[in-house]
Amino acid sequence: MIRTEELLLNVGPQHPSTHGVFRIVVKLDGEVITEATPVMGYLHRGTEKLAEQLNYTQIIPYTDRMDYVSAMTNNYVLVHAVETMMGLEVPERAEFLRLIVMELQRVASHLVWWGTYLLDIGAMSPFLYAFRDRETIINLFNELCGARLTYNYMRVGGVKWDAPPGWIDKVSEFIPYMEGKLREYDKLVSGNEIFLARIKGIGKYDAETAIDYGLSGANLRCTGVDWDLRKAEPYSLYSRFEFDVPLGQNGDCYDRYRIRLEEIRQSLRILKQAIVQFPSSGETMGKVPRAIRPPAGEVYTRIESPRGEIGCHIVSKGKAEPYRLKFRRPSFVNLQILPKLLIGETMTNLITILGGVDIVVGEVDC
Amino acid sequence: MSEEEKKAQQESGPADAEKDEKQKAAETTPIAEAGQTAAQQSVEAADPEKAAKLKAAAEARAARAAAKAAAETAEAAEASAPPPPSPKQPELDAVTALIRREVADEALEDAYINELNGHMPTLIVKNEYWRSIAELLKIENDFTYLRNVSGVDYETHLEVVYHLVSLRSGRELAVKIKADREKPEVSSATPVWATANWNEREIYDLLGIVFPGHPDLRRIMMPDDWAGHPLRKDYEPLDSEV
């Protein structure tokens, strides 16, 4: 007689496909998942508590370490919140530099996702292609601010460093290069039958569920909901540029894949326009008081990071340090739907679905 | 004396000083002007072109002074007039009217516009009505998307803030619920918006606010056997070495 029983399986927190120290405990009936419980907190550093002892400029490097694949957008959401509270004007050249680095960051972040997602599924070489091309962007950032991952680039009222001579030309050389590489990616991967069989129709949900779970970014738009904060609630200079918001229909891993690749194209489109309009001279820091003390009160500001809506809720009592600082991290919110998606799936699809959500654990735990 | 009066007095202090200085300046100007005209006359005799320039400069100075005076009076008039109503005031009025009609008159503690945050309509609601208000806002007011939940320790009390947005119209709303510091309870919004689940767990973990009605209220960031809630202002770590 065959004895059958439920199997309790622990995945992580050091499993390579969880992209960091994320753990998930699954119950298996044969190969089918019957229950999944995510366990987080292995990377919880208490950023929000630490921020209460620091002034606003000192908090900026801490934001680099939340979503370390997209530090530029994290920088922006914090300085943007403080600027909103203080009603500060940012010089045009500084705002252009911010926008350019944020869009480059989106491309770099999506490249990391594309490479590692395929690596998770079992394709080794795309990872090498993606990291080769991402290196160009990392080098551009390195030249701009001396760091490859944790940039600490933005300041309340502007940016720390002006673009070195010739930097903008290098960005404009990168755009056609990347466009060519995207065509190559499509040829290599996007039509691959085995790959399509692994991701089409997997991890499906509808628009109503996505909204109920507060999903954002590609996770929301794959269901056809047209909600990109760069268009819906424009910040920075985004209203000046023409670009499309790619949408899906089926809400599956395949649609999320298509959207992220298309978003790279749209970012390059924004970059092309930004470089043409880039002011040839000007300040990179606005008029900012010596001590940054936002008035008493509170704000919630949000921007579109590569992973979705990243928000910053500041409660100020008029001091140099925030009274309370809360980050709305898209990875944390998006991950919530995972247990629901996994039930009834096979164990092999766990990694496909988790990778499709696109999390960065530094941001899940904060 | 109320806070506002005190503030007004403080503000009027430097303004008065400024006036005094101006008066003094006015008293001294005739002498200076006399000197200037004497100088002017001597220059005029020597160089008519230079004299014309000096005259033009004096006229420009006078024009600037007049413009400044006009701007100051306009500013003063602006300060005394009541501030214009917020563009979001009708939105706030509509939502408060809906809640008063459908839930209860006393359900709202306060309703105001947060001007600092792009005129965000903000409500402070009583906890016992929060659950029915949440449902009302979602179903009747199209606030289908809960974008953020924050917990704040104000030392006198705790507070939970729900940031809502309607994806169709882009309308925004912040709803706050106050909780007692000793026995903090806020009705869970998880049955209304699934996204509240982990957010409320995080607030429970870090601030110790209990959410009755939550399906799975456990710690999420700190270890299960952790003592205390780190984001409380009076939090002392059990072991300071950790």
Side-chain angles (χ1 to χ4, degrees), chain A residues 235-275:
Chain A
Y235 55 94
S236 191
L237 304 170
Y238 283 107
S239 50
R240 295 193 196 175
F241 304 111
E242 269 181 35
F243 63 101
D244 298 323
V245 178
L247 299 176
Q249 293 167 339
N250 305 315
D252 59 356
C253 284
Y254 176 69
D255 278 9
R256 293 192 273 280
Y257 172 89
R258 297 286 339 165
I259 286 174
R260 292 200 179 101
L261 273 191
E262 184 56 32
E263 278 184 2
I264 298 181
R265 275 194 195 92
Q266 295 302 326
S267 287
L268 296 174
R269 200 171 149 199
I270 296 172
L271 282 169
K272 244 189 244 171
Q273 300 167 53
I275 279 158

Side-chain angles (χ1 to χ4, degrees), chain A residues 350-361:
Chain A
L350 185 149
I351 298 302
T352 315
I353 294 171
L354 174 64
V357 178
D358 184 19
I359 57 160
V360 170
V361 180

Side-chain angles (χ1 to χ4, degrees), chain A residues 215 298 300 323-324 328, chain B residues 117 145 147 151 155 176 233:
Chain A
L215 304 186
E298 63 184 290
Y300 175 76
Y323 185 75
R324 170 85 169 97
R328 187 253 197 228
Chain B
N117 199 3
Y145 194 81
R147 58 170 21 156
E155 284 165 284
K176 299 173 160 201
K233 290 285 176 184

Side-chain angles (χ1 to χ4, degrees), chain A residues 182-251:
Chain A
L182 278 175
R183 283 193 289 276
E184 195 180 306
Y185 290 3
D186 273 339
K187 264 191 219 157
L188 276 171
V189 179
S190 301
N192 183 304
E193 245 175 78
I194 301 166
F195 176 58
L196 293 182
R198 290 292 307 274
I199 63 168
K200 266 198 173 168
I202 303 296
K204 250 178 121 158
Y205 49 82
D206 59 6
E208 204 185 324
T209 314
I211 292 170
D212 194 30
Y213 275 85
L215 304 186
S216 51
N219 291 300
L220 176 64
R221 292 190 286 271
C222 68
T223 60
V225 179
D226 189 359
W227 186 256
D228 183 319
L229 294 171
R230 292 174 296 172
K231 282 257 197 234
E233 299 172 347
Y235 55 94
S236 191
L237 304 170
Y238 283 107
S239 50
R240 295 193 196 175
F241 304 111
E242 269 181 35
F243 63 101
D244 298 323
V245 178
L247 299 176
Q249 293 167 339
N250 305 315

Side-chain angles (χ1 to χ4, degrees), chain B residues 162-175:
Chain B
Y162 293 82
H163 288 106
L164 298 164
V165 64
S166 156
L167 297 189
R168 227 168 290 167
S169 63
R171 275 181 304 120
E172 283 186 278
L173 183 71
V175 184

Side-chain angles (χ1 to χ4, degrees), chain B residues 2-236:
Chain B
S2 77
E3 278 298 313
E4 268 173 38
E5 278 171 321
K6 264 189 215 166
K7 212 174 155 193
Q9 206 184 35
Q10 271 170 0
E11 272 168 11
S12 72
D16 284 344
E18 217 169 276
K19 244 183 247 163
D20 286 348
E21 260 172 40
K22 264 188 205 150
Q23 251 165 11
K24 267 185 212 158
E27 278 160 19
T28 51
T29 26
I31 307 163
E33 252 172 35
Q36 212 174 25
T37 39
Q40 238 171 354
Q41 273 162 356
S42 66
V43 173
E44 224 166 321
D47 186 352
E49 202 183 319
K50 209 169 181 183
K53 267 190 195 165
L54 270 174
K55 202 180 164 195
E59 273 168 14
R61 259 202 306 276
R64 269 202 300 274
K68 202 182 162 196
E72 266 171 18
T73 46
E75 245 173 60
E78 214 170 87
S80 63
S86 161
K88 302 272 179 76
Q89 192 65 43
E91 268 178 39
L92 181 69
D93 292 343
V95 76
T96 50
L98 178 77
I99 290 170
R100 291 217 167 92
R101 194 175 63 235
E102 299 291 329
V103 182
D105 237 347
E106 70 276 11
L108 289 173
E109 257 178 63
D110 199 3
Y112 60 92
I113 297 281
N114 184 357
E115 281 182 34
L116 212 54
N117 199 3
H119 293 262
M120 172 113 67
T122 308
L123 306 176
I124 303 182
V125 309
K126 285 194 182 135
N127 183 39
E128 56 265 42
Y129 298 104
W130 165 228
R131 184 55 208 282
S132 27
I133 290 174
E135 272 165 24
L136 183 76
L137 289 174
K138 184 180 179 181
I139 296 158
E140 297 291 324
N141 226 328
D142 194 38
F143 284 115
T144 48
Y145 194 81
L146 175 61
R147 58 170 21 156
N148 178 51
V149 189
S150 298
V152 189
D153 180 5
Y154 279 103
E155 284 165 284
T156 50
H157 61 276
L158 297 167
E159 194 175 87
V160 181
V161 192
Y162 293 82
H163 288 106
L164 298 164
V165 64
S166 156
L167 297 189
R168 227 168 290 167
S169 63
R171 275 181 304 120
E172 283 186 278
L173 183 71
V175 184
K176 299 173 160 201
I177 300 99
K178 288 181 180 171
D180 179 51
R181 234 166 158 274
E182 299 309 314
K183 200 178 173 292
E185 280 191 357
V186 171
S187 307
S188 172
T190 307
V192 184
W193 297 282
T195 180
N197 188 331
W198 283 12
N199 282 298
E200 288 177 344
R201 272 180 70 186
E202 195 186 18
I203 293 169
Y204 162 71
D205 187 0
L206 303 178
L207 279 157
I209 299 174
V210 178
F211 292 90
H214 192 287
D216 181 29
L217 199 64
R218 290 179 291 127
R219 285 191 187 265
I220 190 164
M221 291 294 165
M222 309 304 285
D224 290 341
D225 57 352
W226 195 263
H229 304 284
L231 270 180
R232 289 267 187 128
K233 290 285 176 184
D234 55 359
Y235 171 74
E236 293 283 347

